[in-house]
Amino acid sequence: MITNIADNISSKDGHLTFAGQDTVELAKKYGTPLYLLDEDKIRENCRTYTAAFKKYFGEGSRPLYASKANSFKGIYRIMQEEGMGIDVVSPGEIYVAKAAGYDLSQAYFHGNCKTDADIAFAFDNGVGVFVADNQEEVIAVEAEAAKRGVKQRVMIRVTPGIDPHTYEAISTGKVDSKFGSAVETGQADEIVALTLKQPHLELVGFHCHVGSQVFAEDVYERTVIVMMEFAADMKRKYGYELTELDLGGGFGVPYVDTDGRFDIDQKLSEIAKTLEDVCARLGIRKPLYHMEPGRSVVAAAGMTLYTVGSTKRIPGYKNYVAIDGGMTDNPRYALYGSKYTCFVASRIDEQKDLEVSIVGRCCESGDIIQRDVMVPSTVQRGDIVAVCTTGAYNYAMASNYNKIPYPAMVLLKDGESKIAIKRQSYADLCMNDV
Ligand code: LLP
């Protein structure tokens, strides 16, 4: 079960603790802004996935960590140790995974605009499977495989026409999407026919990803049915039978109290049952089953710490607490209006009697981390603010706007802490300038 930090807040000496450690002490030791990642929690989440895949889908079926959620060397080492495959979307992710010693034969390469250079780079580094998004890519991967005299494994990304009921920017499975080839328009069929004709491609199966932060009840079950009906159609038409089905990522994570709670094990057992039934009904062999969880592996294992720089009360209007980070380390409120649970970590036991907006330090009015947060009215410069559930798509989407350096990332494990990513220096900020 993925829980929210507010389900289970703990404190010590009036300070918020995270992974059993005093957050105010961590802020003192490493400085702020600071990303924390609870390594034990990440490993526990990986094990929930790997155990459930083994139990419900059998050997060969596996979770592939969607490394776009949080990509740095340490995370790839954890994924390797936990037996997780990975999803990569760029040569940059391939490079970092390789630098971490990750075995790239276990990687699935996504993306809707892979250049010839990207494709060659992936071949050079032994990426296991290309997930082909469009016809041009099929041709380009075939050309590269032919040049090298090898046979390359590919999957085809299909848009199943499912609305996942999440916010628009991260909804990807509908027919009108920049990703994949649609079943409904016949384009998915065309790309299968094209791929089957290529002498240097081995089509292993079909992929789709309907969206992210999905809670809606039966989205995955409906998607399995659409995908397998499509697969059965391809079998009838071309005599092609898939060996792998990959349903992408998207399991939702609770950011605030009112969000749902997602039981990964139970959902996977329900999906397995649907897959079993639909294969029996269609008379098609059950394929290996993969998913690409990103957020649900790392989000709740993360927390960001900031130091308060100023507090402002505008009578008759609003109150502000300004922190030493913001949209540069977490652009998700600015982009999507995403909700977060926030605390004044240095006053965790005090009564919350003041409503504020927590805002960042950038020269941009939209630089807001969260509105309508209740905090103790004693909050002042020097206090530590904790923003919870920041392990996914925060560091990954960070920027150097206003030339603000990236924060450091610290991994917490067995009561110890260690730097996983050093804080960027000012020198780093103009390293490539000539
Ligand atoms: N597989 C594919 C092909 C994807 O496109 C994604 C996410 C995933 C897997 C992982 O989905 P997850 O399990 O993390 O939901 N920046 C947005 C999220 C964008 C997700 C993009 N694709 C955010 O901050 O909410």
Side-chain angles (χ1 to χ4, degrees):
M1 179 76 82
I2 309 171
T3 51
N4 176 264
I5 178 132
D7 292 344
N8 183 350
I9 301 168
S10 54
S11 67
K12 195 177 140 227
D13 306 329
H15 296 167
L16 176 70
T17 59
F18 184 59
Q21 304 193 36
D22 184 326
T23 54
V24 177
E25 289 304 317
L26 288 165
K28 224 182 265 169
K29 181 167 177 188
Y30 295 103
T32 59
L34 183 68
Y35 293 121
L36 301 177
L37 267 188
D38 178 349
E39 182 174 338
D40 295 316
K41 183 89 201 152
I42 293 173
R43 288 183 185 273
E44 183 190 317
N45 292 340
C46 290
R47 286 169 202 175
T48 300
Y49 270 108
T50 49
F53 268 76
K54 207 160 172 195
K55 190 163 45 163
Y56 302 124
F57 300 101
E59 276 316 317
S61 294
R62 59 198 309 218
L64 318 169
Y65 168 63
S67 63
K68 75 205 76 183
N70 201 339
S71 169
F72 60 101
K73 281 190 192 172
I75 203 89
Y76 291 110
R77 290 187 200 113
I78 294 171
M79 294 307 146
Q80 184 85 65
E81 284 168 18
E82 294 298 331
M84 300 277 287
I86 56 168
D87 141 1
V88 289
V89 291
S90 69
E93 287 184 355
I94 292 171
Y95 183 90
V96 178
K98 176 89 182 271
Y102 188 87
D103 170 11
L104 285 163
S105 68
Q106 306 305 308
Y108 285 60
F109 185 20
H110 283 274
N112 65 319
C113 187
K114 302 179 184 82
T115 66
D116 289 346
D118 296 350
I119 290 168
F121 188 79
F123 270 93
D124 287 343
N125 288 289
V127 165
V129 178
F130 280 74
V131 183
D133 185 275
N134 48 62
Q135 300 209 6
E136 289 101 315
E137 184 182 335
V138 168
I139 308 279
V141 176
E142 165 64 25
E144 192 64 34
K147 199 158 91 189
R148 293 170 190 250
V150 296
K151 191 133 187 160
Q152 179 58 48
R153 304 173 72 219
V154 296
M155 290 192 105
I156 289 172
R157 179 162 180 168
V158 165
T159 32
I162 300 270
D163 183 349
H165 302 293
T166 183
Y167 44 104
E168 193 61 28
I170 57 174
S171 174
T172 49
K174 294 191 280 184
V175 173
D176 181 3
S177 167
K178 75 169 184 170
F179 299 105
S181 306
V183 173
E184 187 184 305
T185 58
Q187 286 161 309
D189 184 331
E190 283 166 22
I191 192 174
V192 171
L194 176 75
T195 307
L196 290 172
K197 280 192 216 125
Q198 307 305 319
H200 298 91
L201 301 185
E202 177 196 345
L203 180 58
V204 295
F206 305 128
H207 168 278
C208 68
H209 169 78
V210 292
S212 197
Q213 189 61 352
V214 175
F215 282 107
E217 260 300 300
D218 59 348
V219 165
Y220 291 92
E221 290 85 335
R222 284 190 289 126
T223 307
V224 165
I225 293 169
V226 173
M227 293 295 282
M228 290 312 295
E229 283 176 346
F230 173 70
D233 216 25
M234 295 303 98
K235 186 180 171 193
R236 264 193 308 275
K237 265 183 130 156
Y238 305 113
Y240 166 75
E241 204 158 356
L242 84 175
T243 53
E244 300 185 22
L245 174 69
D246 180 345
L247 241 57
F251 286 0
V253 163
Y255 285 86
V256 290
D257 263 1
T258 47
D259 283 341
R261 302 289 183 274
F262 206 101
D263 189 326
I264 293 170
D265 185 89
Q266 191 191 327
K267 181 46 70 186
L268 289 171
S269 83
E270 288 163 5
I271 295 172
K273 170 91 178 55
T274 306
L275 182 60
E276 199 84 49
D277 291 350
V278 73
C279 287
R281 170 166 70 79
L282 297 168
I284 188 165
R285 194 178 55 223
K286 201 176 84 178
L288 295 177
Y289 180 77
H290 310 310
M291 284 192 84
E292 300 157 350
R295 191 191 311 269
S296 55
V297 176
V298 287
M303 176 181 281
T304 310
L305 302 179
Y306 304 96
T307 303
V308 174
S310 65
T311 62
K312 179 184 282 188
R313 298 177 193 210
I314 313 177
Y317 290 86
K318 228 205 257 148
N319 305 311
Y320 288 93
V321 168
I323 50 165
D324 59 352
M327 65 187 288
T328 44
D329 59 80
N330 181 1
R332 297 190 69 257
Y333 186 84
L335 273 173
Y336 319 116
S338 305
K339 296 257 187 271
Y340 280 101
T341 302
C342 310
F343 298 106
V344 176
S346 46
R347 298 180 187 273
I348 197 71
D349 296 336
E350 291 183 32
Q351 202 193 337
K352 298 175 180 176
D353 51 355
L354 183 71
E355 189 175 292
V356 302
S357 282
I358 298 180
V359 296
R361 64 177 299 170
C362 291
C363 296
E364 176 105 15
S365 298
D367 177 18
I368 298 169
I369 287 288
Q370 201 64 203
R371 288 184 215 267
D372 309 329
V373 181
M374 291 305 294
V375 298
S377 51
T378 47
V379 63
Q380 58 183 262
R381 182 175 170 90
D383 271 324
I384 301 299
V385 163
V387 178
C388 304
T389 327
T390 56
Y393 305 112
N394 276 227
Y395 169 70
M397 296 173 75
S399 77
N400 284 136
Y401 182 47
N402 289 178
K403 281 284 180 271
I404 293 170
Y406 278 25
M409 172 106 69
V410 163
L411 282 174
L412 307 176
K413 186 172 185 336
D414 299 332
E416 306 278 317
S417 61
K418 66 167 192 242
I419 291 267
I421 307 174
K422 287 191 271 186
R423 184 177 301 282
Q424 261 186 341
S425 67
Y426 296 127
D428 291 337
L429 295 174
C430 54
M431 188 168 72
N432 296 330
D433 297 11
V434 290

